[in-house]
Amino acid sequence: MTDARPLDADEATFITAVRSGDPARFAHITERHRRELQVHCYRMLANYEDAQDMTQETFLRAWHKRETFKGHAALRTWLYRIATNVCLDFLDRRTDRTPVPAGLPDSEVPHLQPYPDRMLPEDPQESVVARETIELAFIVAVQHLPPRQRAVLILRDVLGWPAPKAADTLELTVASVTSALQRARVTMRAQLPGRRLDWRSPATHKLSDDERGVVKSYIDAHQRNDLDGLTSLLRDDLRFAMLPDPGTVTTTAGDAVDGWVSGGLFQHGHDDWRGVTTTVNRMPAAVLYLRTPGDPEHRPFALAVLHIVDGKIAELTGFDVTGKPWLDLPPAP
């Protein structure tokens, strides 16, 4: 596996660290790639905690394989190759992570977790964290692909690797990679109708004023216990999931709100809300805090991640935030 460019200072320094056998020097050089590798693992696995673990496994495996790095490829390429195969090995071991059946678009991904924006690379290449390739819809769609198709799609269409480079990483022929990519694109088009699918072209990173306004209205409706106001924010063909509970449903706005009310929303014990606007997966989101009777404090209750189209909430994915300190949620207002 080679890159068409001479050995640069990064690779030369890395080779020196390898020859020294000093783990501290090795870690210092590889650590700068942690965040982008973790995003890569997250796309493969759809789970933040698994991505953390597999990124650490990548560095451990890189240390044990350090003598195989000869500078024929960029250090970044070498690490991506290891990370990809670490994720594939993980998926091969986990029977509970089989691909979502392509014929069941409403099937859930129960292990899906949000990705904190603060853990994205601070100075990313556009292709690494373009907003449309970190949004939940993309992450879920990728889970419909068999693992090696998943890897091919990410390497070729997200990172922009040429077919021979992806084939070498996955130990496949170029023809196999080309075929896998064609099949993966068909599945992705079916899972993301109406979305832009050219992920290597620039995509915005910033939320629009419209998106921020809808999140604020969503929080305000909760704080006022305003059912009509909440309903008015939802598209009639809303897609809704509350993870890790099973089931993503396409429903009417009214039916969705009726379901939430039957579950206790805005009734005694579920009527004292506070909220904070935030972002995860480069998407608008609201952290909802609930104060229950007898509790002096509002405590984190749920994270609502919103996909907003023309001023309405088209998709709402809720996450239970208890026991997830890595989300680093702000305190209740």
Side-chain angles (χ1 to χ4, degrees), residues 69-119:
F69 182 80
K70 305 298 183 184
H72 302 310
L75 173 59
R76 179 174 179 268
T77 297
W78 186 70
L79 291 171
Y80 265 96
R81 176 176 182 164
I82 294 172
T84 301
N85 285 288
V86 163
C87 291
L88 290 173
D89 290 346
F90 174 84
L91 291 169
D92 285 343
R93 295 193 304 268
R94 294 290 296 266
T95 58
D96 61 333
R97 299 301 174 84
T98 56
V100 178
L104 299 175
D106 289 338
S107 293
E108 68 278 1
V109 179
H111 56 272
L112 176 68
Q113 291 181 335
Y115 200 98
D117 282 8
R118 64 181 176 80
M119 293 306 299

Short mmCIF file of all heavy atoms in Angstrom, two decimals, residues 69-119:
data_model
loop_
_atom_site.label_atom_id
_atom_site.label_comp_id
_atom_site.label_asym_id
_atom_site.label_seq_id
_atom_site.Cartn_x
_atom_site.Cartn_y
_atom_site.Cartn_z
N PHE A 69 5.55 -0.76 9.78
CA PHE A 69 5.46 0.54 9.12
C PHE A 69 6.82 0.92 8.55
O PHE A 69 7.78 1.12 9.29
CB PHE A 69 4.98 1.62 10.09
CG PHE A 69 4.82 2.97 9.43
CD1 PHE A 69 3.68 3.26 8.69
CD2 PHE A 69 5.81 3.94 9.52
CE1 PHE A 69 3.53 4.49 8.07
CE2 PHE A 69 5.67 5.17 8.91
CZ PHE A 69 4.53 5.44 8.18
N LYS A 70 6.89 1.03 7.22
CA LYS A 70 8.15 1.33 6.55
C LYS A 70 8.14 2.69 5.88
O LYS A 70 9.11 3.06 5.23
CB LYS A 70 8.45 0.24 5.50
CG LYS A 70 8.46 -1.18 6.06
CD LYS A 70 9.53 -1.38 7.11
CE LYS A 70 9.55 -2.82 7.59
NZ LYS A 70 10.54 -3.01 8.70
N GLY A 71 7.03 3.41 6.01
CA GLY A 71 6.95 4.71 5.36
C GLY A 71 6.50 4.66 3.92
O GLY A 71 6.54 5.68 3.23
N HIS A 72 6.09 3.48 3.44
CA HIS A 72 5.61 3.39 2.06
C HIS A 72 4.24 4.04 1.91
O HIS A 72 3.84 4.41 0.81
CB HIS A 72 5.55 1.93 1.62
CG HIS A 72 6.85 1.21 1.71
ND1 HIS A 72 8.02 1.72 1.17
CD2 HIS A 72 7.18 0.03 2.30
CE1 HIS A 72 9.02 0.88 1.42
NE2 HIS A 72 8.53 -0.15 2.10
N ALA A 73 3.50 4.12 3.00
CA ALA A 73 2.21 4.80 3.02
C ALA A 73 2.27 5.89 4.08
O ALA A 73 3.11 5.86 4.98
CB ALA A 73 1.08 3.82 3.34
N ALA A 74 1.35 6.84 3.98
CA ALA A 74 1.27 7.87 5.01
C ALA A 74 0.92 7.23 6.34
O ALA A 74 0.19 6.23 6.41
CB ALA A 74 0.21 8.91 4.63
N LEU A 75 1.41 7.81 7.42
CA LEU A 75 1.08 7.31 8.76
C LEU A 75 -0.43 7.29 8.96
O LEU A 75 -0.99 6.33 9.51
CB LEU A 75 1.75 8.19 9.81
CG LEU A 75 1.39 7.90 11.27
CD1 LEU A 75 1.74 6.46 11.65
CD2 LEU A 75 2.08 8.89 12.20
N ARG A 76 -1.10 8.33 8.51
CA ARG A 76 -2.55 8.41 8.66
C ARG A 76 -3.23 7.24 7.94
O ARG A 76 -4.15 6.62 8.46
CB ARG A 76 -3.04 9.75 8.10
CG ARG A 76 -4.55 9.97 8.16
CD ARG A 76 -4.87 11.40 7.71
NE ARG A 76 -6.30 11.65 7.72
CZ ARG A 76 -7.09 11.46 6.68
NH1 ARG A 76 -6.58 11.01 5.53
NH2 ARG A 76 -8.39 11.71 6.76
N THR A 77 -2.78 6.93 6.74
CA THR A 77 -3.34 5.81 5.98
C THR A 77 -3.13 4.50 6.73
O THR A 77 -4.04 3.67 6.83
CB THR A 77 -2.67 5.72 4.60
OG1 THR A 77 -2.96 6.91 3.86
CG2 THR A 77 -3.17 4.51 3.82
N TRP A 78 -1.94 4.32 7.26
CA TRP A 78 -1.60 3.09 8.01
C TRP A 78 -2.51 2.94 9.21
O TRP A 78 -3.03 1.85 9.48
CB TRP A 78 -0.14 3.17 8.43
CG TRP A 78 0.41 1.95 9.09
CD1 TRP A 78 0.67 0.73 8.50
CD2 TRP A 78 0.82 1.84 10.45
NE1 TRP A 78 1.21 -0.12 9.44
CE2 TRP A 78 1.31 0.52 10.64
CE3 TRP A 78 0.83 2.72 11.53
CZ2 TRP A 78 1.81 0.07 11.86
CZ3 TRP A 78 1.32 2.27 12.75
CH2 TRP A 78 1.80 0.97 12.92
N LEU A 79 -2.76 4.01 9.93
CA LEU A 79 -3.63 3.95 11.11
C LEU A 79 -5.08 3.70 10.72
O LEU A 79 -5.79 2.95 11.40
CB LEU A 79 -3.51 5.24 11.92
CG LEU A 79 -2.17 5.46 12.62
CD1 LEU A 79 -2.09 6.87 13.21
CD2 LEU A 79 -1.94 4.42 13.72
N TYR A 80 -5.54 4.32 9.64
CA TYR A 80 -6.90 4.06 9.17
C TYR A 80 -7.07 2.60 8.77
O TYR A 80 -8.12 1.98 8.99
CB TYR A 80 -7.24 4.96 7.99
CG TYR A 80 -7.96 6.23 8.37
CD1 TYR A 80 -7.27 7.42 8.55
CD2 TYR A 80 -9.34 6.24 8.54
CE1 TYR A 80 -7.93 8.59 8.89
CE2 TYR A 80 -10.02 7.40 8.88
CZ TYR A 80 -9.30 8.57 9.06
OH TYR A 80 -9.97 9.73 9.42
N ARG A 81 -6.05 2.04 8.16
CA ARG A 81 -6.12 0.63 7.78
C ARG A 81 -6.29 -0.25 9.01
O ARG A 81 -7.14 -1.15 9.03
CB ARG A 81 -4.85 0.24 7.02
CG ARG A 81 -4.80 -1.24 6.68
CD ARG A 81 -3.60 -1.61 5.85
NE ARG A 81 -3.62 -3.03 5.50
CZ ARG A 81 -2.89 -3.57 4.54
NH1 ARG A 81 -2.08 -2.81 3.81
NH2 ARG A 81 -2.97 -4.86 4.29
N ILE A 82 -5.52 0.03 10.04
CA ILE A 82 -5.63 -0.74 11.27
C ILE A 82 -7.00 -0.55 11.91
O ILE A 82 -7.66 -1.50 12.32
CB ILE A 82 -4.50 -0.36 12.25
CG1 ILE A 82 -3.14 -0.77 11.67
CG2 ILE A 82 -4.72 -1.02 13.61
CD1 ILE A 82 -1.96 -0.28 12.47
N ALA A 83 -7.46 0.70 11.99
CA ALA A 83 -8.75 0.99 12.62
C ALA A 83 -9.89 0.29 11.89
O ALA A 83 -10.82 -0.25 12.51
CB ALA A 83 -8.99 2.50 12.65
N THR A 84 -9.84 0.30 10.57
CA THR A 84 -10.90 -0.35 9.79
C THR A 84 -10.96 -1.83 10.11
O THR A 84 -12.05 -2.40 10.34
CB THR A 84 -10.65 -0.14 8.29
OG1 THR A 84 -10.63 1.26 8.00
CG2 THR A 84 -11.74 -0.81 7.45
N ASN A 85 -9.82 -2.48 10.16
CA ASN A 85 -9.80 -3.91 10.42
C ASN A 85 -10.11 -4.24 11.88
O ASN A 85 -10.70 -5.29 12.17
CB ASN A 85 -8.46 -4.50 9.98
CG ASN A 85 -8.38 -4.63 8.46
OD1 ASN A 85 -9.03 -5.47 7.86
ND2 ASN A 85 -7.60 -3.75 7.83
N VAL A 86 -9.78 -3.35 12.79
CA VAL A 86 -10.19 -3.52 14.19
C VAL A 86 -11.72 -3.53 14.27
O VAL A 86 -12.32 -4.38 14.96
CB VAL A 86 -9.60 -2.41 15.07
CG1 VAL A 86 -10.33 -2.31 16.41
CG2 VAL A 86 -8.11 -2.66 15.32
N CYS A 87 -12.36 -2.61 13.58
CA CYS A 87 -13.83 -2.55 13.59
C CYS A 87 -14.44 -3.78 12.92
O CYS A 87 -15.46 -4.32 13.40
CB CYS A 87 -14.32 -1.28 12.91
SG CYS A 87 -13.96 0.23 13.82
N LEU A 88 -13.86 -4.22 11.83
CA LEU A 88 -14.38 -5.41 11.16
C LEU A 88 -14.24 -6.64 12.05
O LEU A 88 -15.15 -7.49 12.12
CB LEU A 88 -13.66 -5.63 9.84
CG LEU A 88 -13.97 -4.61 8.73
CD1 LEU A 88 -13.07 -4.82 7.53
CD2 LEU A 88 -15.44 -4.68 8.31
N ASP A 89 -13.14 -6.75 12.76
CA ASP A 89 -12.96 -7.87 13.69
C ASP A 89 -14.00 -7.81 14.81
O ASP A 89 -14.56 -8.83 15.22
CB ASP A 89 -11.56 -7.84 14.30
CG ASP A 89 -10.47 -8.19 13.29
OD1 ASP A 89 -10.81 -8.72 12.20
OD2 ASP A 89 -9.28 -7.93 13.57
N PHE A 90 -14.27 -6.60 15.30
CA PHE A 90 -15.29 -6.41 16.34
C PHE A 90 -16.65 -6.85 15.83
O PHE A 90 -17.39 -7.58 16.52
CB PHE A 90 -15.32 -4.94 16.75
CG PHE A 90 -16.43 -4.58 17.70
CD1 PHE A 90 -16.27 -4.76 19.06
CD2 PHE A 90 -17.62 -4.05 17.23
CE1 PHE A 90 -17.30 -4.42 19.95
CE2 PHE A 90 -18.65 -3.70 18.09
CZ PHE A 90 -18.48 -3.89 19.46
N LEU A 91 -17.01 -6.44 14.62
CA LEU A 91 -18.31 -6.80 14.06
C LEU A 91 -18.41 -8.29 13.79
O LEU A 91 -19.50 -8.88 13.91
CB LEU A 91 -18.56 -6.00 12.78
CG LEU A 91 -18.79 -4.50 12.98
CD1 LEU A 91 -18.75 -3.77 11.65
CD2 LEU A 91 -20.10 -4.24 13.70
N ASP A 92 -17.31 -8.93 13.43
CA ASP A 92 -17.32 -10.38 13.22
C ASP A 92 -17.59 -11.12 14.52
O ASP A 92 -18.19 -12.20 14.51
CB ASP A 92 -15.98 -10.84 12.64
CG ASP A 92 -15.81 -10.48 11.17
OD1 ASP A 92 -16.83 -10.18 10.51
OD2 ASP A 92 -14.66 -10.51 10.68
N ARG A 93 -17.15 -10.54 15.65
CA ARG A 93 -17.33 -11.21 16.95
C ARG A 93 -18.71 -10.99 17.53
O ARG A 93 -19.17 -11.79 18.34
CB ARG A 93 -16.30 -10.68 17.95
CG ARG A 93 -14.87 -11.01 17.64
CD ARG A 93 -13.98 -10.72 18.85
NE ARG A 93 -14.09 -9.36 19.35
CZ ARG A 93 -13.32 -8.36 18.98
NH1 ARG A 93 -12.38 -8.56 18.05
NH2 ARG A 93 -13.48 -7.15 19.49
N ARG A 94 -19.38 -9.90 17.17
CA ARG A 94 -20.61 -9.49 17.83
C ARG A 94 -21.84 -9.91 17.03
O ARG A 94 -22.19 -9.26 16.05
CB ARG A 94 -20.60 -7.98 18.06
CG ARG A 94 -19.54 -7.50 19.03
CD ARG A 94 -19.85 -7.92 20.46
NE ARG A 94 -21.06 -7.31 20.96
CZ ARG A 94 -21.08 -6.16 21.66
NH1 ARG A 94 -19.96 -5.54 21.95
NH2 ARG A 94 -22.23 -5.66 22.07
N THR A 95 -22.49 -10.95 17.47
CA THR A 95 -23.69 -11.41 16.78
C THR A 95 -24.86 -10.45 16.94
O THR A 95 -25.83 -10.50 16.18
CB THR A 95 -24.11 -12.79 17.31
OG1 THR A 95 -24.34 -12.71 18.72
CG2 THR A 95 -23.03 -13.83 17.03
N ASP A 96 -24.77 -9.56 17.95
CA ASP A 96 -25.85 -8.58 18.15
C ASP A 96 -25.68 -7.34 17.29
O ASP A 96 -26.45 -6.40 17.39
CB ASP A 96 -25.93 -8.16 19.62
CG ASP A 96 -24.64 -7.51 20.12
OD1 ASP A 96 -23.56 -7.80 19.56
OD2 ASP A 96 -24.72 -6.71 21.07
N ARG A 97 -24.67 -7.32 16.43
CA ARG A 97 -24.43 -6.16 15.57
C ARG A 97 -24.57 -6.52 14.10
O ARG A 97 -23.89 -5.93 13.26
CB ARG A 97 -23.05 -5.58 15.85
CG ARG A 97 -22.86 -5.11 17.29
CD ARG A 97 -23.87 -4.03 17.64
NE ARG A 97 -23.81 -3.67 19.05
CZ ARG A 97 -22.98 -2.80 19.57
NH1 ARG A 97 -22.10 -2.21 18.79
NH2 ARG A 97 -23.02 -2.52 20.85
N THR A 98 -25.42 -7.50 13.79
CA THR A 98 -25.64 -7.84 12.40
C THR A 98 -26.32 -6.68 11.70
O THR A 98 -27.05 -5.90 12.32
CB THR A 98 -26.52 -9.10 12.29
OG1 THR A 98 -27.74 -8.88 13.01
CG2 THR A 98 -25.80 -10.32 12.85
N PRO A 99 -26.11 -6.54 10.38
CA PRO A 99 -26.70 -5.40 9.66
C PRO A 99 -28.22 -5.37 9.78
O PRO A 99 -28.88 -6.41 9.83
CB PRO A 99 -26.26 -5.63 8.21
CG PRO A 99 -25.04 -6.49 8.31
CD PRO A 99 -25.26 -7.37 9.50
N VAL A 100 -28.76 -4.17 9.83
CA VAL A 100 -30.21 -4.00 9.81
C VAL A 100 -30.72 -4.48 8.46
O VAL A 100 -30.18 -4.09 7.42
CB VAL A 100 -30.58 -2.53 10.03
CG1 VAL A 100 -32.09 -2.34 9.97
CG2 VAL A 100 -30.05 -2.05 11.38
N PRO A 101 -31.75 -5.33 8.40
CA PRO A 101 -32.24 -5.82 7.11
C PRO A 101 -32.64 -4.67 6.19
O PRO A 101 -33.38 -3.77 6.58
CB PRO A 101 -33.46 -6.67 7.49
CG PRO A 101 -33.20 -7.08 8.91
CD PRO A 101 -32.47 -5.93 9.53
N ALA A 102 -32.13 -4.71 4.96
CA ALA A 102 -32.36 -3.62 4.02
C ALA A 102 -33.84 -3.46 3.67
O ALA A 102 -34.28 -2.38 3.32
CB ALA A 102 -31.55 -3.86 2.74
N GLY A 103 -34.62 -4.53 3.76
CA GLY A 103 -36.03 -4.45 3.40
C GLY A 103 -36.91 -3.90 4.49
O GLY A 103 -38.13 -3.79 4.32
N LEU A 104 -36.30 -3.55 5.63
CA LEU A 104 -37.08 -3.05 6.77
C LEU A 104 -36.58 -1.67 7.15
O LEU A 104 -35.83 -1.50 8.11
CB LEU A 104 -36.97 -4.01 7.96
CG LEU A 104 -37.50 -5.44 7.72
CD1 LEU A 104 -37.20 -6.31 8.95
CD2 LEU A 104 -39.00 -5.41 7.44
N PRO A 105 -36.96 -0.63 6.40
CA PRO A 105 -36.40 0.71 6.63
C PRO A 105 -36.74 1.29 7.99
O PRO A 105 -36.07 2.19 8.46
CB PRO A 105 -37.01 1.55 5.50
CG PRO A 105 -38.24 0.81 5.10
CD PRO A 105 -37.92 -0.64 5.29
N ASP A 106 -37.80 0.79 8.65
CA ASP A 106 -38.17 1.35 9.94
C ASP A 106 -37.54 0.59 11.11
O ASP A 106 -37.86 0.83 12.26
CB ASP A 106 -39.69 1.34 10.11
CG ASP A 106 -40.34 2.39 9.20
OD1 ASP A 106 -39.62 3.33 8.82
OD2 ASP A 106 -41.53 2.25 8.89
N SER A 107 -36.67 -0.39 10.80
CA SER A 107 -36.02 -1.12 11.88
C SER A 107 -35.10 -0.20 12.65
O SER A 107 -34.46 0.69 12.10
CB SER A 107 -35.21 -2.30 11.32
OG SER A 107 -36.07 -3.27 10.77
N GLU A 108 -35.00 -0.44 13.92
CA GLU A 108 -34.18 0.41 14.76
C GLU A 108 -32.74 -0.08 14.81
O GLU A 108 -32.43 -1.20 14.40
CB GLU A 108 -34.76 0.43 16.17
CG GLU A 108 -34.64 -0.89 16.92
CD GLU A 108 -35.73 -1.90 16.57
OE1 GLU A 108 -36.58 -1.58 15.73
OE2 GLU A 108 -35.72 -3.00 17.14
N VAL A 109 -31.86 0.77 15.28
CA VAL A 109 -30.48 0.41 15.59
C VAL A 109 -30.34 0.63 17.09
O VAL A 109 -29.99 1.73 17.53
CB VAL A 109 -29.48 1.27 14.78
CG1 VAL A 109 -28.05 0.90 15.13
CG2 VAL A 109 -29.71 1.10 13.28
N PRO A 110 -30.66 -0.36 17.90
CA PRO A 110 -30.76 -0.14 19.35
C PRO A 110 -29.45 0.28 20.00
O PRO A 110 -29.47 0.90 21.07
CB PRO A 110 -31.25 -1.49 19.89
CG PRO A 110 -30.93 -2.48 18.82
CD PRO A 110 -31.03 -1.74 17.52
N HIS A 111 -28.32 -0.03 19.38
CA HIS A 111 -27.05 0.34 19.98
C HIS A 111 -26.58 1.73 19.53
O HIS A 111 -25.50 2.18 19.94
CB HIS A 111 -25.97 -0.69 19.64
CG HIS A 111 -25.79 -0.92 18.16
ND1 HIS A 111 -26.52 -1.85 17.46
CD2 HIS A 111 -24.96 -0.34 17.26
CE1 HIS A 111 -26.15 -1.83 16.19
NE2 HIS A 111 -25.20 -0.91 16.04
N LEU A 112 -27.39 2.43 18.71
CA LEU A 112 -27.02 3.78 18.27
C LEU A 112 -26.84 4.72 19.45
O LEU A 112 -27.65 4.75 20.38
CB LEU A 112 -28.11 4.32 17.35
CG LEU A 112 -27.94 5.76 16.85
CD1 LEU A 112 -26.77 5.87 15.89
CD2 LEU A 112 -29.23 6.25 16.17
N GLN A 113 -25.76 5.47 19.44
CA GLN A 113 -25.51 6.51 20.44
C GLN A 113 -25.16 7.82 19.74
O GLN A 113 -24.62 7.81 18.63
CB GLN A 113 -24.36 6.12 21.38
CG GLN A 113 -24.67 4.96 22.31
CD GLN A 113 -23.50 4.63 23.23
OE1 GLN A 113 -22.35 4.91 22.91
NE2 GLN A 113 -23.80 4.02 24.36
N PRO A 114 -25.48 8.96 20.37
CA PRO A 114 -25.08 10.25 19.79
C PRO A 114 -23.58 10.47 19.91
O PRO A 114 -22.91 9.85 20.74
CB PRO A 114 -25.86 11.25 20.63
CG PRO A 114 -26.03 10.57 21.96
CD PRO A 114 -26.19 9.11 21.65
N TYR A 115 -23.06 11.35 19.06
CA TYR A 115 -21.62 11.66 19.07
C TYR A 115 -21.44 13.11 19.52
O TYR A 115 -21.89 14.04 18.85
CB TYR A 115 -21.01 11.48 17.68
CG TYR A 115 -19.51 11.31 17.73
CD1 TYR A 115 -18.95 10.05 17.68
CD2 TYR A 115 -18.66 12.41 17.85
CE1 TYR A 115 -17.57 9.87 17.75
CE2 TYR A 115 -17.29 12.25 17.92
CZ TYR A 115 -16.75 10.97 17.87
OH TYR A 115 -15.40 10.81 17.95
N PRO A 116 -20.77 13.33 20.66
CA PRO A 116 -20.58 14.71 21.15
C PRO A 116 -19.74 15.53 20.18
O PRO A 116 -18.65 15.12 19.79
CB PRO A 116 -19.84 14.51 22.49
CG PRO A 116 -20.03 13.06 22.84
CD PRO A 116 -20.15 12.33 21.55
N ASP A 117 -20.23 16.69 19.82
CA ASP A 117 -19.48 17.54 18.89
C ASP A 117 -18.12 17.96 19.44
O ASP A 117 -17.18 18.18 18.68
CB ASP A 117 -20.30 18.80 18.56
CG ASP A 117 -21.40 18.52 17.55
OD1 ASP A 117 -21.63 17.33 17.23
OD2 ASP A 117 -22.05 19.47 17.09
N ARG A 118 -18.02 18.06 20.76
CA ARG A 118 -16.74 18.48 21.35
C ARG A 118 -15.64 17.46 21.10
O ARG A 118 -14.45 17.77 21.24
CB ARG A 118 -16.91 18.69 22.86
CG ARG A 118 -17.25 17.43 23.61
CD ARG A 118 -17.45 17.64 25.10
NE ARG A 118 -17.86 16.40 25.74
CZ ARG A 118 -17.04 15.40 26.08
NH1 ARG A 118 -15.74 15.53 25.84
NH2 ARG A 118 -17.49 14.30 26.64
N MET A 119 -15.99 16.22 20.72
CA MET A 119 -14.99 15.19 20.46
C MET A 119 -14.65 15.06 18.98
O MET A 119 -13.87 14.19 18.60
CB MET A 119 -15.49 13.85 21.00
CG MET A 119 -15.60 13.79 22.52
SD MET A 119 -14.05 14.25 23.35
CE MET A 119 -12.94 12.97 22.73
#
